[in-house]
Amino acid sequence: MPEVLVVDDSKVMRDMVVACLRPYPGLSFTHASSGLEAIERLSLKPYDLIVLDLNMPDIGGIEVVEFVRGQDTLRHLPIVIVTTRGDEASRARALQAGADRFMTKPFTPDAILGEVKGLLERVHG
C-alpha cells in the first residue's frame, strides 16, 4: 500500500490534498505540519511520495527537498511541491533542489491526482 507524506502548515490544505488523492486506490496518508516534523517522520519509516508545501514556519520546503536528496535512502523519493508561490524563481529553485513536480495553489483535484499517479506508477511500475 503506497504511503504518502502530506506536509503543509495548514490542516485545511493537508485535508484538501488527501481528499483529492482519495480516488487513487490503496493510498494511505501521514500528515506533517512543518518541515521539521516531515524530516522527523522520514527518519521513522519509509514513504512512497511526498506532497510538500514551500512556505512553512520552521524548515521550508526547499530545505526539506535538499535534505531528502542528500540522504542515500531517500534520494529517489518522489516529491510534489504545492505552493501559493507561482513565480518562476520559486519553481526553478524547487526543481533545481530536486523536486519532481511543482504545482501552484489552487490546483484541481484531477491535476494533483494525475501528477501523483504518474510519479507512483514510475516508481512502482
Side-chain angles (χ1 to χ4, degrees), residues 30-89:
T30 298
H31 293 230
S33 61
S34 70
L36 181 59
E37 184 180 355
I39 289 171
E40 290 171 350
R41 291 196 180 277
L42 287 164
S43 68
L44 296 175
K45 66 182 266 190
Y47 291 92
D48 297 287
L49 186 135
I50 303 173
V51 177
L52 177 66
D53 187 20
L54 279 185
N55 301 317
M56 291 182 282
D58 54 8
I59 297 175
I62 295 294
E63 289 78 16
V64 174
V65 173
E66 291 171 343
F67 171 81
V68 167
R69 295 301 179 236
Q71 305 297 309
D72 287 341
T73 57
L74 301 173
R75 185 178 315 275
H76 300 291
L77 182 63
I79 301 173
V80 177
I81 298 290
V82 290
T83 182
T84 56
R85 301 175 78 178
D87 60 282
E88 189 52 41

